[in-house]
Amino acid sequence: MTTIQQQKTNTLSFEEVYRLGYNMVIHKYGEKLYLGIQGLIDKHLKTEAENKIVPLLGIADASPAEGVELLKAIQKVWMHHITCMKMFKDTLLHLDKSYVPQTRLPATYDMGLYIFRDSIIRSSTHPIQAHLQLVLLNQITQERKGDVIDRGAVKASTDMLLEMKENNGTDAVYVADFETLFVETSREFYRLESEDLVRRFDPPDYMKKVENRLDEEKLRCNHYLTARTEPKIRLIVEDEMIAKHLKTIMEMENWGLKQLLINHRLQDLDRMYRLFLRVPDGAKELQNGVAAYINECGKASNAGVKASTQESLEKGAVPGVTVALRWVQEVLDLKDKFDKVLVLSFAKDKAFETAINAAFERFINLNTKAPEFMSLFIDNKLKKEFKGKTDDEVDTILNKMTTLFRFLSDKDVFERYYKQHLSSRLLLGKSVSDEVERGMITKLKIECGYQFTSKLEGMFTDMRLLADTTSSFKDFLENAVEPPPFDLHTTVLTSTFWPIATTPITCHFPESFLTAIKVFERFYTSRHNGRKLSWHPTMGNVDLRATFNTKKHELNVSTMAAVVLLLFNNIPADEPLTYTAIREETKLPDDHLKRTLQSVACGKFKILIKEPKSREIEDTDQFTFNAGFSEKLMRIKIQTIASKVETVAELKETKEKVDDARNHMAEAAIVRVMKNRKQLDHNNLVAEVVAQLQVRFNPSPTMIKRRIEALIEREYLERAPGDRKLYNYMA
């Protein structure tokens, strides 16, 4: 055995050595042989340590190069020892097969590794272990700082520690003698480095360095440590460089999260997402930061709406449609931006998508005019801006609007406005395409169901039947004894489908109008028994031939404007009519009459001259026919001045109507649930009603409770005897 250790195996007969070992074991000298080999190895290794390793301990800390020499010296002794142990294992094969199993001692080779561990690495007489750890840690630190090190020497040392085991035979010495200390010192290294880098670099550069560190540590573990160390060191880098600086990175004024979003730095946002996703609460913090920015942008848009509306009111003007279009476009642009961020930076993460959508929903519903604004935006697109656009472009815009509609909590309010705007487009023939109109209704039906769009579809049905009615009326007139005094074109609307007041406004029609009305009513009642026609002066238009001093013009005006203008046929051209006289003659309500007079006396085409001259109509004003009117165009269209965005009073009226409709919907839902269940407690009834109604609006429990009380009073429900929170359905 000594000859093997002295590397003089060329003089040795392995067969003879094997036979000697075999004879000793079979003659019961196995213990003496085992202990003798053990002592021989221990003595040899201590001598090797004294001669080849200990002399280098004093200079190992002097420089990285000297430290590498220590690693190489230990490695040299290790490699020689491994070679010897393999030879010992081969020559003492019978000892390992017979004696070792009986005594449950380590096999010869394993015993040699234990002795190397205890006599050299964990030597009780020399601080070899401490110096080995120090040199390895120094080498890694130097590499982290950018220096080139001898990776081969470091890898050989870590492989040596991995091969040596603890006494249990499974755990590597590597864990206790190196990895634990490596992890602790790495934590301190990255704590100090992160504090330094956060002070010196902007978030994008800092995140790049964090990303580089993570990649470096992974490569380091793959090259000369072990894959088992990588998760531990990765957690330290993530904890020290990311988790402890989440808010600092996000809230930095220079290129923090807000600035990255403002400047659309998708690559940096992607890096932030991937890094934050690594640590607990990182994704949640980032989601909250993104949502906060969206809310900030949304509040700014809402504040702009409020400021514009207030400015209009201070000037005495009606808020225009421009503010509505601008607000919706800002929301769409913001949504487009975050759709790209979600795809390109946040990997279509569902949690981030939910957070983004929740933020949009929050600020959109803070704007009480959001349903009206969205309907106005769609109205503007369907009347003007879709002209010349391809089907794909139109569908893209409608899909975006459907997404915004999905965020609305008051979908029933949107429905009310959409019906008003759709009716205007259909009746005035301003819609770009019936196909596009139906496409939008289909999208709304998918979102909210058939009940939501049934009345909208009924409006299209009426318009489809219009051609048949017109053709039949024309045939009727050919045989009529008393035809109307002028060409009459009527649009018959089903009152339950259209946003029309049940009772028309008062209006005293001229005699010629009344004659024409009677002719059509005679025709209509002959075809439809039991139906009643109500004539709405607010919805028609009239073509008038007007004679001025120098020229004749054909005027296209509203029905109310025609009623007003025809009054001037009955008086001399230069004689005025007072506002009071016009009101008495026409019987029109003040608000409608004033808007009508504004359109013909204060607009672009002044058919009437107003005295005194001002934009607003007062009760003391006088109006005279403008005989000197002149315009290049032969045919002139004069539109009634009307507000596109509701005034405060109109908004209040709309709210009252919406609340009334909601009460009916809530009561209907309660009756449906109770009719099916027969008996139900209060909490479950409220929950089921909310589930049914939330597709249209979000009812409050208080509102549902009031409707339950109303139904009890009307004897649709009753409280169960002995339990006031339990309801019975009364058939």
Side-chain angles (χ1 to χ4, degrees):
M1 297 299 130
T2 302
T3 303
I4 292 173
Q5 290 174 337
Q6 293 174 350
Q7 301 182 31
K8 297 178 180 179
T9 54
N10 58 331
T11 63
L12 191 65
S13 171
F14 284 95
E15 183 181 351
E16 186 177 345
V17 174
Y18 176 82
R19 191 181 301 113
L20 289 172
Y22 177 82
N23 289 333
M24 290 186 70
V25 172
I26 63 174
H27 288 92
K28 308 300 182 182
Y29 290 105
E31 181 181 2
K32 183 176 183 180
L33 177 60
Y34 188 88
L35 294 175
I37 295 297
Q38 192 177 48
L40 181 67
I41 295 171
D42 182 55
K43 180 180 178 181
H44 173 75
L45 289 176
K46 287 179 178 178
T47 303
E48 289 283 279
E50 291 284 348
N51 297 334
K52 298 178 180 180
I53 298 175
V54 174
L56 296 175
L57 296 181
I59 62 172
D61 303 337
S63 68
E66 297 296 343
V68 170
E69 291 304 316
L70 175 62
L71 297 183
K72 289 180 177 179
I74 295 174
Q75 180 62 20
K76 189 175 182 179
V77 173
W78 166 255
M79 293 306 297
H80 173 60
H81 177 64
I82 289 298
T83 303
C84 293
M85 291 313 302
K86 288 179 179 177
M87 291 183 180
F88 284 6
K89 177 183 176 182
D90 292 339
T91 55
L92 299 174
L93 186 61
H94 194 66
L95 180 69
D96 285 341
K97 283 187 176 182
S98 180
Y99 175 75
V100 168
Q102 294 175 6
T103 56
R104 297 183 180 178
L105 292 170
T108 308
Y109 182 84
D110 295 335
M111 175 256 290
L113 298 188
Y114 290 142
I115 296 172
F116 188 93
R117 178 196 68 192
D118 297 334
S119 298
I120 293 187
I121 301 302
R122 296 178 179 175
S123 172
S124 58
T125 55
H126 304 292
I128 298 174
Q129 182 188 47
H131 281 79
L132 174 62
Q133 292 170 339
L134 183 62
V135 170
L136 289 173
L137 295 174
N138 284 342
Q139 289 293 304
I140 294 173
T141 301
Q142 290 302 312
E143 188 177 52
R144 283 171 174 166
K145 292 180 178 179
D147 295 340
V148 178
I149 65 169
D150 189 340
R151 284 188 164 190
V154 177
K155 178 172 174 53
S157 298
T158 55
D159 286 347
M160 171 189 72
L161 295 175
L162 283 167
E163 189 167 351
M164 285 186 288
K165 306 297 181 191
E166 299 289 356
N167 290 336
N168 59 17
T170 55
D171 297 335
V173 170
Y174 170 88
V175 175
D177 285 31
F178 172 71
E179 186 182 71
T180 302
L181 187 61
F182 171 63
V183 169
E184 291 174 359
T185 55
S186 294
R187 180 176 293 280
E188 181 65 14
F189 175 85
Y190 283 114
R191 183 185 69 80
L192 296 173
E193 181 176 78
S194 64
E195 291 173 356
D196 177 58
L197 294 178
V198 163
R199 285 194 301 268
R200 293 195 295 119
F201 292 97
D202 289 334
D205 293 330
Y206 177 80
M207 290 188 295
K208 288 178 184 176
K209 293 189 176 296
V210 173
E211 200 170 48
N212 289 338
R213 283 303 193 192
L214 287 165
D215 291 340
E216 289 170 6
E217 293 298 341
K218 184 175 182 179
L219 291 173
R220 182 172 294 114
C221 290
N222 290 337
H223 284 160
Y224 59 80
L225 296 179
T226 173
R228 289 176 293 180
T229 303
E230 194 271 334
K232 299 176 183 178
I233 199 67
R234 184 182 70 238
L235 286 174
I236 286 175
V237 177
E238 291 170 351
D239 184 45
E240 295 296 333
M241 300 194 79
I242 305 174
K244 292 183 178 179
H245 299 283
L246 286 175
K247 288 191 177 295
T248 304
I249 296 170
M250 287 175 52
E251 296 172 2
M252 276 189 182
E253 293 185 6
N254 297 328
W255 297 109
L257 174 62
K258 183 177 178 180
Q259 290 298 320
L260 295 180
L261 291 169
I262 290 173
N263 292 279
H264 212 50
R265 296 280 289 268
L266 297 176
Q267 191 172 358
D268 291 325
L269 287 169
D270 172 57
R271 184 175 291 109
M272 181 178 284
Y273 165 76
R274 287 186 285 103
L275 291 177
F276 278 39
L277 212 61
R278 290 171 169 268
V279 299
D281 300 327
K284 192 65 179 176
E285 286 290 342
L286 186 55
Q287 290 165 20
N288 292 340
V290 171
Y293 174 73
I294 293 173
N295 283 324
E296 184 180 332
C297 294
K299 287 179 181 178
S301 293
N302 291 345
V305 169
K306 190 175 181 180
S308 298
T309 304
Q310 186 63 33
E311 184 180 350
S312 297
L313 293 175
E314 289 174 358
K315 292 179 179 178
V318 177
V321 72
T322 306
V323 64
L325 301 181
R326 186 177 70 243
W327 181 83
V328 176
Q329 191 59 55
E330 287 176 0
V331 176
L332 285 175
D333 292 343
L334 190 65
K335 188 66 173 67
D336 283 344
K337 177 177 181 175
F338 277 92
D339 284 344
K340 290 179 182 176
V341 170
L342 182 66
V343 173
L344 301 176
S345 299
F346 297 156
K348 300 181 182 179
D349 191 311
K350 289 295 182 184
F352 278 79
E353 183 179 5
T354 301
I356 290 170
N357 289 345
F360 272 92
E361 183 175 349
R362 194 176 302 115
F363 86 77
I364 285 174
N365 287 298
L366 287 175
N367 181 4
T368 55
K369 288 182 172 288
E372 181 186 6
F373 284 3
M374 288 186 191
S375 182
L376 281 169
F377 186 87
I378 297 172
D379 181 58
N380 185 66
K381 293 289 183 184
L382 290 169
K383 285 196 300 190
K384 301 176 184 177
E385 297 191 12
F386 280 162
K387 290 180 180 177
K389 292 189 179 293
T390 65
D391 291 345
D392 289 342
E393 289 173 331
V394 170
D395 198 52
T396 298
I397 295 173
L398 293 183
N399 283 336
K400 289 178 180 179
M401 285 308 303
T402 304
T403 300
L404 293 193
F405 168 76
R406 201 174 292 139
F407 295 143
L408 280 177
S409 58
D410 296 333
K411 293 181 175 63
D412 55 334
V413 180
F414 171 88
E415 178 195 12
R416 188 174 190 84
Y417 288 116
Y418 193 84
K419 279 168 55 178
Q420 292 175 357
H421 297 141
L422 175 61
S423 69
S424 175
R425 291 195 299 274
L426 294 178
L427 294 176
L428 299 178
K430 289 187 175 181
S431 181
V432 173
S433 163
D434 281 355
E435 184 181 348
V436 175
E437 291 280 8
R438 292 182 183 279
M440 186 64 205
I441 291 175
T442 300
K443 294 180 188 297
L444 295 176
K445 184 191 290 187
I446 292 171
E447 292 296 322
C448 298
Y450 171 76
Q451 188 178 3
F452 187 87
T453 59
S454 59
K455 292 183 179 180
L456 303 179
E457 291 174 332
M459 292 161 70
F460 276 97
T461 301
D462 281 350
M463 296 307 293
R464 189 174 66 252
L465 296 174
L466 175 61
D468 293 338
T469 303
T470 302
S471 177
S472 298
F473 183 53
K474 187 176 179 181
D475 295 339
F476 175 82
L477 291 179
E478 290 179 357
N479 302 316
V481 177
E482 296 181 10
F486 50 80
D487 289 340
L488 177 65
H489 299 277
T490 58
T491 304
V492 181
L493 309 177
T494 306
S495 60
T496 54
F497 294 156
W498 298 76
I500 305 169
T502 306
T503 305
I505 65 167
T506 57
C507 178
H508 186 268
F509 289 115
E511 192 63 35
S512 59
F513 281 34
L514 293 174
T515 301
I517 287 173
K518 288 178 181 178
V519 172
F520 185 81
E521 286 183 340
R522 192 162 57 248
F523 153 75
Y524 195 77
T525 53
S526 68
R527 290 167 55 91
H528 303 283
N529 289 327
R531 292 190 183 181
K532 181 182 178 182
L533 292 176
S534 299
W535 296 84
H536 289 260
T538 56
M539 303 184 70
N541 58 78
V542 179
D543 287 338
L544 298 175
R545 291 187 182 92
T547 303
F548 299 94
N549 290 342
T550 59
K551 196 174 183 180
K552 292 182 179 180
H553 289 282
E554 189 173 301
L555 309 179
N556 178 262
V557 297
S558 69
T559 304
M560 292 184 294
V563 171
V564 171
L565 290 175
L566 288 173
L567 294 177
F568 290 86
N569 279 345
N570 304 324
I571 60 174
D574 57 349
E575 184 177 326
L577 279 177
T578 64
Y579 174 82
T580 306
I582 295 173
R583 182 174 58 191
E584 287 298 321
E585 287 289 336
T586 62
K587 306 298 183 184
L588 287 170
D590 281 331
D591 55 342
H592 290 280
L593 179 57
K594 287 182 178 181
R595 282 207 297 268
T596 301
L597 287 170
Q598 277 183 323
S599 66
V600 295
C602 304
K604 180 180 178 181
F605 305 110
K606 294 179 175 59
I607 309 302
L608 301 180
I609 298 173
K610 174 183 174 295
E611 291 292 341
K613 297 188 185 323
S614 66
R615 182 68 178 169
E616 298 304 317
I617 305 295
E618 304 295 340
D619 290 356
T620 55
D621 290 346
Q622 292 185 336
F623 300 87
T624 308
F625 178 68
N626 184 9
F629 176 81
S630 180
E631 179 65 33
K632 292 180 181 180
L633 298 172
M634 178 65 185
R635 181 176 171 83
I636 299 171
K637 185 172 185 177
I638 302 174
Q639 293 183 340
T640 302
I641 295 174
S643 62
K644 292 294 187 70
V645 177
E646 286 190 329
T647 62
V648 175
E650 290 170 334
L651 190 63
K652 182 179 179 182
E653 182 184 354
T654 298
K655 186 177 185 306
E656 290 174 354
K657 291 179 179 177
V658 168
D659 288 343
D660 187 51
R662 286 181 174 181
N663 288 338
H664 289 307
M665 282 190 283
E667 289 182 358
I670 293 168
V671 170
R672 279 196 302 271
V673 172
M674 291 303 299
K675 188 175 182 180
N676 182 48
R677 294 297 194 93
K678 305 303 181 187
Q679 187 180 73
L680 201 61
D681 65 90
H682 179 79
N683 290 339
N684 283 318
L685 177 58
V686 170
E688 291 201 30
V689 171
V690 168
Q692 285 194 20
L693 296 179
Q694 62 186 1
V695 71
R696 301 291 295 277
F697 66 98
N698 290 325
S700 67
T702 305
M703 179 255 202
I704 296 174
K705 184 178 180 180
R706 286 199 298 267
R707 298 337 307 158
I708 292 173
E709 296 292 343
L711 289 171
I712 291 174
E713 288 179 6
R714 303 206 302 271
E715 297 184 352
Y716 283 91
L717 307 178
E718 67 174 0
R719 297 186 188 277
D723 189 349
R724 290 183 56 80
K725 291 188 177 182
L726 193 64
Y727 305 112
N728 294 328
Y729 175 69
M730 299 175 68

